[in-house]
């Protein structure tokens, strides 16, 4: 592997080029090259975040302000932990600011997550039977913010990937309807592609404000976007809406 800045067109072209190596697929070479040249990957490393995903939730919270001191946050699909790392100080989960209320961050993922001070982490398949009840048990009450960055491993077939992510978002939304405090926030990754229209409708009925956002740190060539639904209208109303459907 060659990982050195190329001089290309003049000395300002500092892009790292990775040569193909025997046994490495072209897709892996391109992935490696993209990682090495991604400013968010470098920034995550510098600032101690576990991945570039941390900047997506940071940018969304900077814009919408849902992480408040004292907030109870559930992070579905939290590995390797970037979103939890951002949430912990913002909701004061470690009580570092004695003058502000202490929040809580509960993360769940299929994969094991290295401990994060201030976050409670559980390994769980959120689509398994009874998974939502388990999380509700750990939570022991309501949540102010439900996050979902859950994404299944890519199958390479876009429509299949899209349907999978919709199933994950729907499970997260069902859970949010059950546990969110009135006025609460739901943030989830979705893929642009059409199958989520019914979900958008449901969000608009049950939250006072729904935004579809592509934060600056989300790769331009990725079809991911995020829904930020704020001002949950309340459990009774959510139940009425689904009974009427
Ligand atoms: C893009 S990553 C999340 C990154 C995370 N937000 C961060 O900042 O580190 C998507 C995660 O969703 C998890 N995931 C996918 N399906 C899941 C499921 N059924 N239950 C729980 N987690 C799931 C994956 O294991 C993966 O870690």
């Amino acid at each position: 592997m060659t990982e050195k800045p190329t001089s290309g067109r003049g000395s300002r072209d500092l892009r790292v080029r990775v040569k193909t190596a025997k046994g490495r697929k072209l897709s892996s070479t391109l992935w490696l090259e993209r990682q090495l040249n991604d400013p968010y990957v470098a920034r995550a490393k510098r600032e101690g975040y576990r991945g570039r995903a941390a900047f997506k939730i940071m940018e969304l919270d900077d814009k919408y302000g849902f992480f408040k001191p004292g907030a109870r946050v559930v992070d579905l699909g939290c590995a390797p932990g970037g979103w939890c790392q951002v949430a912990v100080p913002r909701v004061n989960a470690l009580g570092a600011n004695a003058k502000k209320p202490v929040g809580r961050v509960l993360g769940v993922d299929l994969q094991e997550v290295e401990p994060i001070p201030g976050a409670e982490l559980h390994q769980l398949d959120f689509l398994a039977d009874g998974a939502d009840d388990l999380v509700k048990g750990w939570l022991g009450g309501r949540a102010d913010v439900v996050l979902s960055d859950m994404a299944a491993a890519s199958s390479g077939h876009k429509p299949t990937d899209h349907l999978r992510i919709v199933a994950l978002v729907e499970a997260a939304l069902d859970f949010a309807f059950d546990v969110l405090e009135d006025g609460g926030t739901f943030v989830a990754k979705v893929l642009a592609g059409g199958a989520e229209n019914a979900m958008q409708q449901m969000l608009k009925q049950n939250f006072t404000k729904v935004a579809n956002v592509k934060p600056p740190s989300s790769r331009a060539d990725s079809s991911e976007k995020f829904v930020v639904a704020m001002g949950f209208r309340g459990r009774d109303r959510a139940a009425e809406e689904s009974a009427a459907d």
Side-chain angles (χ1 to χ4, degrees):
M1 170 170 69
T2 305
E3 290 160 24
K4 60 173 184 177
T6 55
S7 50
R9 282 163 286 120
S11 56
R12 294 175 69 82
D13 184 1
L14 295 177
R15 203 178 152 75
V16 176
R17 296 273 149 75
V18 180
K19 280 190 180 169
T20 46
K22 214 175 176 187
R24 190 193 301 132
K25 285 194 201 152
L26 177 64
S27 58
S28 311
T29 302
L30 292 176
W31 180 86
L32 188 55
E33 193 167 288
R34 190 169 71 168
Q35 286 293 103
L36 290 169
N37 290 293
D38 185 329
Y40 287 103
V41 171
R43 189 176 154 203
K45 214 170 176 182
R46 238 180 10 251
E47 296 180 16
Y49 291 109
R50 294 187 183 172
R52 68 190 303 296
F55 300 109
K56 299 178 196 171
I57 202 69
M58 212 182 275
E59 289 163 356
L60 293 175
D61 183 49
D62 286 347
K63 187 161 181 187
Y64 297 101
F66 42 82
F67 286 154
K68 298 196 170 60
R72 297 153 295 177
V73 177
V74 178
D75 182 4
L76 302 170
C78 68
W83 286 23
C84 287
Q85 287 180 295
V86 173
V88 164
R90 291 186 178 212
V91 304
N92 197 30
L94 280 168
N97 186 337
K99 291 188 181 145
K100 297 260 166 86
V102 177
R104 195 169 163 203
V105 177
L106 195 156
V108 168
D109 201 284
L110 274 177
Q111 300 170 41
E112 201 176 338
V113 189
E114 287 291 311
I116 296 171
E120 304 154 49
L121 304 166
H122 298 270
Q123 188 172 9
L124 176 75
D125 177 353
F126 193 67
L127 292 184
D129 281 350
D132 52 346
D133 287 332
L134 265 178
V135 184
K136 275 182 226 164
W138 294 325
L139 189 62
R142 303 268 186 104
D144 301 292
V145 183
V146 172
L147 308 171
S148 171
D149 195 19
M150 286 191 287
S154 169
S155 67
H157 182 247
K158 277 198 172 171
T160 304
D161 289 347
H162 186 81
L163 290 174
R164 283 185 183 162
I165 202 163
V166 169
L168 288 166
V169 179
E170 281 177 357
L173 185 57
D174 270 356
F175 175 78
F177 280 161
D178 260 5
V179 301
L180 268 185
E181 193 68 82
D182 291 6
T185 299
F186 175 69
V187 179
K189 173 160 67 190
V190 293
L191 297 181
E196 87 276 28
N197 286 348
M199 192 191 73
Q200 292 284 341
Q201 188 67 25
M202 201 188 284
L203 287 168
K204 284 184 183 144
Q205 282 166 353
N206 290 289
F207 292 84
T208 55
K209 180 176 174 183
V210 179
N212 286 277
V213 204
K214 186 152 178 88
S217 57
S218 175
R219 288 185 167 119
D221 62 355
S222 140
S223 55
E224 79 173 6
K225 62 177 182 170
F226 292 85
V227 288
V228 180
M230 302 181 73
F232 181 52
R233 293 187 205 269
R235 286 145 54 95
D236 294 343
R237 184 174 162 109
E240 278 165 27
E241 300 284 358
S242 28
D245 283 346

Coordinates of all heavy atoms in Angstrom, one line a residue, residues 173-244:
L173 N -39.5 3.9 15.8 CA -40.6 4.9 15.9 C -41.7 4.3 16.8 O -42.3 5.0 17.7 CB -41.2 5.3 14.6 CG -42.3 6.3 14.6 CD1 -41.8 7.6 15.2 CD2 -42.7 6.6 13.1
D174 N -42.0 3.0 16.7 CA -43.0 2.4 17.6 C -42.6 2.5 19.0 O -43.4 2.8 19.9 CB -43.1 0.9 17.3 CG -44.1 0.5 16.2 OD1 -44.8 1.5 15.8 OD2 -44.2 -0.6 15.8
F175 N -41.3 2.3 19.2 CA -40.7 2.4 20.5 C -40.8 3.8 21.1 O -41.2 4.1 22.2 CB -39.2 1.9 20.5 CG -38.5 2.1 21.8 CD1 -38.7 1.2 22.8 CD2 -37.6 3.2 22.0 CE1 -38.0 1.4 24.0 CE2 -36.9 3.3 23.2 CZ -37.1 2.4 24.2
A176 N -40.5 4.8 20.2 CA -40.6 6.2 20.6 C -42.0 6.6 21.0 O -42.2 7.2 22.0 CB -40.1 7.1 19.4
F177 N -43.0 6.1 20.2 CA -44.4 6.4 20.6 C -44.7 5.9 22.0 O -45.5 6.5 22.7 CB -45.4 5.7 19.6 CG -45.5 6.5 18.3 CD1 -46.0 5.9 17.2 CD2 -45.1 7.9 18.2 CE1 -46.1 6.6 16.0 CE2 -45.3 8.6 17.0 CZ -45.8 8.0 15.9
D178 N -44.1 4.7 22.4 CA -44.4 4.1 23.7 C -43.7 4.9 24.8 O -44.2 4.9 25.9 CB -43.8 2.7 23.7 CG -44.9 1.7 23.5 OD1 -46.0 2.1 23.2 OD2 -44.6 0.5 23.6
V179 N -42.5 5.4 24.6 CA -41.7 5.8 25.7 C -41.5 7.4 25.8 O -41.1 7.9 26.8 CB -40.3 5.2 25.8 CG1 -40.4 3.7 25.9 CG2 -39.4 5.6 24.7
L180 N -41.8 8.0 24.7 CA -41.4 9.5 24.6 C -42.3 10.3 25.6 O -43.5 10.1 25.7 CB -41.6 10.1 23.2 CG -40.3 10.1 22.3 CD1 -40.6 10.8 21.0 CD2 -39.1 10.7 23.0
E181 N -41.7 11.2 26.3 CA -42.4 12.2 27.1 C -43.1 13.1 26.1 O -42.6 13.4 25.0 CB -41.3 13.0 27.8 CG -41.7 13.8 29.0 CD -42.3 13.0 30.1 OE1 -41.5 12.5 31.0 OE2 -43.5 12.9 30.2
D182 N -44.2 13.7 26.6 CA -44.9 14.7 25.7 C -43.8 15.8 25.4 O -43.1 16.2 26.3 CB -46.1 15.3 26.5 CG -47.2 14.3 26.7 OD1 -47.0 13.2 26.3 OD2 -48.3 14.7 27.1
G183 N -43.8 16.2 24.2 CA -42.8 17.3 23.8 C -41.5 16.7 23.4 O -40.6 17.4 23.0
G184 N -41.3 15.4 23.5 CA -40.1 14.7 23.2 C -39.7 14.7 21.7 O -40.4 15.1 20.8
T185 N -38.4 14.2 21.5 CA -37.9 14.3 20.1 C -37.5 12.9 19.6 O -36.9 12.1 20.4 CB -36.6 15.2 20.2 OG1 -36.9 16.5 20.6 CG2 -35.9 15.3 18.8
F186 N -37.7 12.7 18.3 CA -37.3 11.5 17.7 C -36.4 11.8 16.5 O -36.7 12.7 15.7 CB -38.5 10.7 17.2 CG -38.3 9.5 16.4 CD1 -37.7 8.4 17.0 CD2 -38.5 9.4 15.0 CE1 -37.5 7.2 16.2 CE2 -38.3 8.3 14.2 CZ -37.8 7.2 14.9
V187 N -35.2 11.2 16.5 CA -34.2 11.5 15.4 C -33.8 10.2 14.8 O -33.4 9.2 15.5 CB -32.9 12.2 15.9 CG1 -31.9 12.4 14.8 CG2 -33.2 13.5 16.6
A188 N -34.0 10.0 13.5 CA -33.6 8.7 12.9 C -33.0 8.9 11.5 O -33.4 9.8 10.8 CB -34.9 7.8 12.8
K189 N -32.1 7.9 11.2 CA -31.5 7.9 9.9 C -32.5 7.2 9.0 O -33.0 6.1 9.3 CB -30.2 7.1 9.9 CG -29.7 6.9 8.5 CD -28.2 6.6 8.5 CE -27.9 5.3 9.1 NZ -26.4 5.1 9.3
V190 N -32.8 7.8 7.8 CA -33.6 7.1 6.8 C -32.8 7.2 5.5 O -31.9 7.9 5.4 CB -35.0 7.8 6.6 CG1 -35.8 7.5 7.9 CG2 -34.9 9.2 6.4
L191 N -33.2 6.4 4.5 CA -32.6 6.6 3.2 C -33.6 7.2 2.2 O -34.8 6.8 2.2 CB -32.2 5.2 2.6 CG -31.1 4.4 3.4 CD1 -30.8 3.1 2.7 CD2 -29.9 5.2 3.6
A192 N -33.2 8.2 1.5 CA -34.1 8.8 0.5 C -34.4 7.7 -0.5 O -33.6 6.9 -0.9 CB -33.3 9.9 -0.3
G193 N -35.7 7.5 -0.9 CA -36.1 6.5 -1.8 C -37.5 6.2 -1.9 O -38.0 5.4 -2.7
G194 N -38.4 6.8 -1.1 CA -39.8 6.7 -1.4 C -40.6 5.9 -0.4 O -41.7 6.3 -0.1
A195 N -40.1 4.8 0.0 CA -40.9 3.9 0.9 C -41.2 4.4 2.2 O -42.0 3.8 3.0 CB -40.2 2.5 1.0
E196 N -40.7 5.6 2.5 CA -40.9 6.1 3.9 C -42.0 7.2 3.9 O -42.2 7.8 4.9 CB -39.6 6.7 4.5 CG -39.3 8.1 4.2 CD -38.5 8.3 2.9 OE1 -38.7 7.5 1.9 OE2 -37.8 9.3 2.8
N197 N -42.8 7.3 2.8 CA -43.9 8.3 2.8 C -44.9 8.2 4.0 O -45.3 9.1 4.6 CB -44.6 8.3 1.5 CG -43.7 9.0 0.4 OD1 -42.7 9.6 0.7 ND2 -44.1 8.8 -0.8
A198 N -45.3 6.9 4.2 CA -46.3 6.7 5.3 C -45.7 7.1 6.6 O -46.5 7.6 7.4 CB -46.7 5.2 5.3
M199 N -44.5 6.8 6.8 CA -43.8 7.2 8.0 C -43.8 8.7 8.2 O -44.1 9.2 9.3 CB -42.4 6.6 8.1 CG -41.8 6.7 9.5 SD -40.1 6.4 9.5 CE -39.5 7.8 8.7
Q200 N -43.5 9.4 7.1 CA -43.5 10.9 7.2 C -44.8 11.4 7.6 O -44.9 12.3 8.4 CB -43.1 11.5 5.8 CG -41.7 11.2 5.4 CD -40.6 12.1 6.1 OE1 -41.0 13.1 6.7 NE2 -39.4 11.6 6.1
Q201 N -45.9 10.8 7.1 CA -47.2 11.2 7.4 C -47.5 11.0 8.9 O -48.0 11.9 9.6 CB -48.2 10.3 6.6 CG -49.6 10.7 6.6 CD -49.9 12.0 5.9 OE1 -49.1 12.4 5.1 NE2 -50.9 12.7 6.3
M202 N -47.1 9.8 9.4 CA -47.3 9.5 10.8 C -46.6 10.5 11.7 O -47.0 10.9 12.7 CB -46.8 8.1 11.0 CG -47.4 7.5 12.3 SD -46.7 5.9 12.6 CE -47.4 4.9 11.4
L203 N -45.3 10.8 11.3 CA -44.5 11.7 12.1 C -45.2 13.1 12.1 O -45.3 13.7 13.2 CB -43.1 11.9 11.5 CG -42.2 10.7 11.6 CD1 -41.0 10.9 10.7 CD2 -41.8 10.6 13.1
K204 N -45.7 13.6 11.0 CA -46.4 14.9 11.0 C -47.6 14.9 11.9 O -47.9 15.9 12.4 CB -46.7 15.3 9.5 CG -45.5 15.7 8.8 CD -45.7 16.2 7.4 CE -44.4 16.5 6.7 NZ -44.4 16.2 5.3
Q205 N -48.3 13.7 11.9 CA -49.5 13.7 12.8 C -49.2 13.8 14.3 O -49.9 14.2 15.1 CB -50.3 12.4 12.5 CG -51.1 12.5 11.2 CD -51.6 11.2 10.8 OE1 -51.3 10.1 11.4 NE2 -52.5 11.2 9.8
N206 N -48.0 13.2 14.6 CA -47.7 13.0 16.0 C -46.7 13.9 16.6 O -46.4 13.9 17.8 CB -47.3 11.6 16.3 CG -48.5 10.6 16.1 OD1 -49.4 10.6 16.9 ND2 -48.5 9.9 15.0
F207 N -46.0 14.8 15.8 CA -45.1 15.7 16.3 C -45.4 17.1 15.7 O -45.9 17.2 14.6 CB -43.6 15.3 15.8 CG -43.1 14.0 16.5 CD1 -43.5 12.8 15.9 CD2 -42.3 14.1 17.6 CE1 -43.0 11.6 16.5 CE2 -41.9 12.9 18.2 CZ -42.2 11.7 17.7
T208 N -45.1 18.1 16.5 CA -45.4 19.5 16.0 C -44.5 20.0 14.9 O -44.9 20.8 14.1 CB -45.4 20.5 17.2 OG1 -44.2 20.4 17.8 CG2 -46.5 20.2 18.2
K209 N -43.3 19.4 14.9 CA -42.3 19.9 13.9 C -41.5 18.7 13.3 O -41.0 17.9 14.1 CB -41.4 20.9 14.5 CG -40.4 21.5 13.6 CD -39.5 22.5 14.3 CE -38.4 23.0 13.4 NZ -37.5 24.0 14.1
V210 N -41.5 18.6 12.0 CA -40.8 17.4 11.4 C -39.8 18.0 10.3 O -40.3 18.7 9.4 CB -41.7 16.4 10.8 CG1 -40.9 15.3 10.1 CG2 -42.7 15.8 11.8
A211 N -38.5 17.8 10.5 CA -37.6 18.2 9.5 C -36.8 17.1 8.9 O -36.6 16.1 9.6 CB -36.6 19.2 10.2
N212 N -36.6 17.1 7.6 CA -35.8 16.1 6.9 C -34.5 16.8 6.6 O -34.5 17.8 5.9 CB -36.5 15.7 5.6 CG -37.6 14.7 6.0 OD1 -37.4 13.6 6.2 ND2 -38.8 15.3 6.1
V213 N -33.4 16.3 7.1 CA -32.1 17.0 7.0 C -31.0 16.1 6.6 O -30.9 14.9 6.9 CB -31.7 17.5 8.5 CG1 -30.7 18.7 8.4 CG2 -32.8 17.8 9.4
K214 N -30.1 16.7 5.8 CA -28.8 16.1 5.5 C -27.7 16.9 6.1 O -27.4 18.0 5.6 CB -28.7 15.9 4.0 CG -27.4 15.1 3.6 CD -27.6 14.5 2.3 CE -26.4 13.7 1.9 NZ -26.4 12.3 2.4
P215 N -27.2 16.5 7.3 CA -26.2 17.4 7.9 C -24.9 17.5 7.0 O -24.7 16.5 6.2 CB -25.9 16.7 9.2 CG -26.5 15.3 9.1 CD -27.5 15.3 8.0
P216 N -24.2 18.5 7.1 CA -23.0 18.7 6.3 C -22.0 17.5 6.3 O -21.4 17.2 5.3 CB -22.3 20.0 6.9 CG -23.4 20.7 7.6 CD -24.4 19.7 8.0
S217 N -21.9 16.9 7.5 CA -21.0 15.8 7.6 C -21.5 14.5 7.0 O -20.7 13.5 6.9 CB -20.6 15.5 9.1 OG -21.8 15.3 9.8
S218 N -22.7 14.4 6.5 CA -23.2 13.2 5.9 C -22.7 13.2 4.4 O -22.8 14.2 3.7 CB -24.7 13.2 5.8 OG -25.2 12.1 5.1
R219 N -22.1 12.1 4.0 CA -21.4 12.1 2.7 C -22.4 12.4 1.6 O -23.5 11.9 1.5 CB -20.8 10.8 2.5 CG -19.5 10.6 3.3 CD -18.8 9.3 3.0 NE -17.5 9.2 3.6 CZ -17.1 8.3 4.5 NH1 -17.9 7.4 4.9 NH2 -15.9 8.4 5.0
A220 N -22.0 13.3 0.7 CA -22.9 13.8 -0.4 C -23.3 12.6 -1.3 O -24.4 12.6 -1.8 CB -22.1 14.8 -1.2
D221 N -22.4 11.6 -1.4 CA -22.8 10.5 -2.3 C -23.6 9.4 -1.6 O -23.9 8.3 -2.1 CB -21.5 9.9 -2.9 CG -20.6 9.3 -1.9 OD1 -20.9 9.4 -0.7 OD2 -19.6 8.7 -2.3
S222 N -24.0 9.6 -0.3 CA -24.8 8.7 0.4 C -26.2 9.1 0.4 O -26.5 10.3 0.4 CB -24.3 8.6 1.9 OG -25.4 8.4 2.8
S223 N -27.2 8.1 0.3 CA -28.6 8.5 0.2 C -29.2 8.7 1.6 O -30.4 8.8 1.7 CB -29.3 7.5 -0.7 OG -29.2 6.2 -0.1
E224 N -28.3 8.6 2.6 CA -28.9 8.8 3.9 C -29.3 10.2 4.2 O -28.8 11.2 3.6 CB -27.9 8.4 5.0 CG -26.9 9.4 5.3 CD -26.0 9.1 6.5 OE1 -26.0 8.0 7.1 OE2 -25.1 10.0 6.8
K225 N -30.4 10.3 5.0 CA -30.8 11.6 5.5 C -31.4 11.4 6.9 O -31.5 10.2 7.3 CB -31.8 12.4 4.6 CG -33.1 11.6 4.4 CD -34.1 12.4 3.6 CE -35.3 11.5 3.5 NZ -36.5 12.2 2.9
F226 N -31.7 12.4 7.6 CA -32.2 12.2 9.0 C -33.5 12.9 9.1 O -33.7 14.0 8.6 CB -31.2 12.8 10.0 CG -29.9 11.9 10.0 CD1 -28.9 12.2 9.1 CD2 -29.8 10.9 10.9 CE1 -27.7 11.4 9.1 CE2 -28.6 10.1 10.9 CZ -27.6 10.3 10.0
V227 N -34.4 12.3 9.9 CA -35.6 13.0 10.2 C -35.5 13.4 11.7 O -35.0 12.6 12.5 CB -36.9 12.1 10.1 CG1 -37.3 11.8 8.7 CG2 -36.8 10.8 10.9
V228 N -35.8 14.6 11.9 CA -35.8 15.2 13.3 C -37.2 15.6 13.6 O -37.8 16.5 12.9 CB -34.9 16.4 13.4 CG1 -34.9 16.9 14.8 CG2 -33.4 16.0 13.0
A229 N -37.9 14.8 14.4 CA -39.3 15.1 14.8 C -39.3 15.6 16.2 O -38.9 14.9 17.1 CB -40.1 13.8 14.6
M230 N -39.8 16.8 16.4 CA -39.8 17.4 17.7 C -41.2 17.8 18.2 O -42.1 18.0 17.4 CB -39.0 18.7 17.7 CG -37.6 18.5 17.2 SD -36.6 20.0 17.2 CE -36.3 20.2 18.9
G231 N -41.4 17.8 19.5 CA -42.7 18.2 20.1 C -43.7 17.0 20.0 O -44.8 17.2 19.4
F232 N -43.3 15.9 20.5 CA -44.2 14.7 20.5 C -45.6 15.2 21.2 O -45.6 15.7 22.2 CB -43.6 13.6 21.3 CG -44.4 12.3 21.3 CD1 -44.9 11.8 20.1 CD2 -44.7 11.7 22.5 CE1 -45.7 10.6 20.1 CE2 -45.5 10.5 22.5 CZ -46.0 10.0 21.3
R233 N -46.7 14.9 20.4 CA -48.0 15.4 20.9 C -48.5 14.5 22.1 O -49.5 14.9 22.7 CB -49.0 15.4 19.8 CG -48.7 16.4 18.7 CD -49.8 16.4 17.7 NE -49.5 16.8 16.4 CZ -49.5 18.0 16.0 NH1 -49.9 19.0 16.8 NH2 -49.2 18.3 14.7
G234 N -47.9 13.4 22.3 CA -48.4 12.6 23.5 C -48.9 11.2 23.1 O -49.3 11.0 22.0
R235 N -48.8 10.3 24.1 CA -49.1 8.9 23.9 C -50.6 8.7 23.5 O -50.9 7.9 22.7 CB -48.8 8.1 25.1 CG -47.3 7.9 25.3 CD -46.8 7.9 26.7 NE -47.5 7.0 27.5 CZ -47.1 5.7 27.8 NH1 -46.0 5.3 27.3 NH2 -47.8 4.9 28.6
D236 N -51.5 9.4 24.2 CA -52.9 9.2 23.9 C -53.2 9.5 22.5 O -53.9 8.7 21.8 CB -53.8 10.0 24.8 CG -53.6 9.6 26.3 OD1 -53.1 8.5 26.5 OD2 -54.0 10.4 27.2
R237 N -52.7 10.6 22.0 CA -52.9 11.0 20.6 C -52.3 10.0 19.7 O -52.9 9.6 18.7 CB -52.4 12.4 20.4 CG -52.7 12.9 19.0 CD -52.3 14.3 18.7 NE -52.3 14.4 17.3 CZ -53.2 15.1 16.6 NH1 -54.2 15.7 17.2 NH2 -53.1 15.2 15.3
A238 N -51.1 9.6 20.0 CA -50.4 8.6 19.1 C -51.2 7.3 19.0 O -51.4 6.7 17.9 CB -49.0 8.3 19.6
A239 N -51.8 6.9 20.2 CA -52.6 5.6 20.2 C -53.9 5.8 19.3 O -54.3 5.0 18.5 CB -53.0 5.3 21.6
E240 N -54.5 7.0 19.5 CA -55.7 7.3 18.7 C -55.4 7.3 17.2 O -56.2 6.7 16.4 CB -56.2 8.7 19.0 CG -57.1 8.8 20.3 CD -57.2 10.3 20.7 OE1 -57.2 11.2 19.8 OE2 -57.4 10.5 21.9
E241 N -54.3 7.9 16.8 CA -53.9 7.9 15.4 C -53.8 6.5 14.8 O -54.3 6.2 13.8 CB -52.6 8.7 15.2 CG -52.6 10.1 15.7 CD -53.4 11.1 14.7 OE1 -53.9 10.6 13.7 OE2 -53.5 12.2 15.1
S242 N -53.1 5.6 15.6 CA -52.8 4.3 15.0 C -54.1 3.5 15.0 O -54.3 2.7 14.1 CB -51.7 3.6 15.7 OG -51.5 4.0 17.0
A243 N -55.0 3.7 16.0 CA -56.3 3.0 16.0 C -57.2 3.4 14.8 O -57.9 2.6 14.2 CB -57.1 3.3 17.3
A244 N -57.0 4.7 14.4 CA -57.9 5.2 13.3 C -57.3 4.7 12.0 O -58.1 4.7 11.0 CB -57.9 6.7 13.3

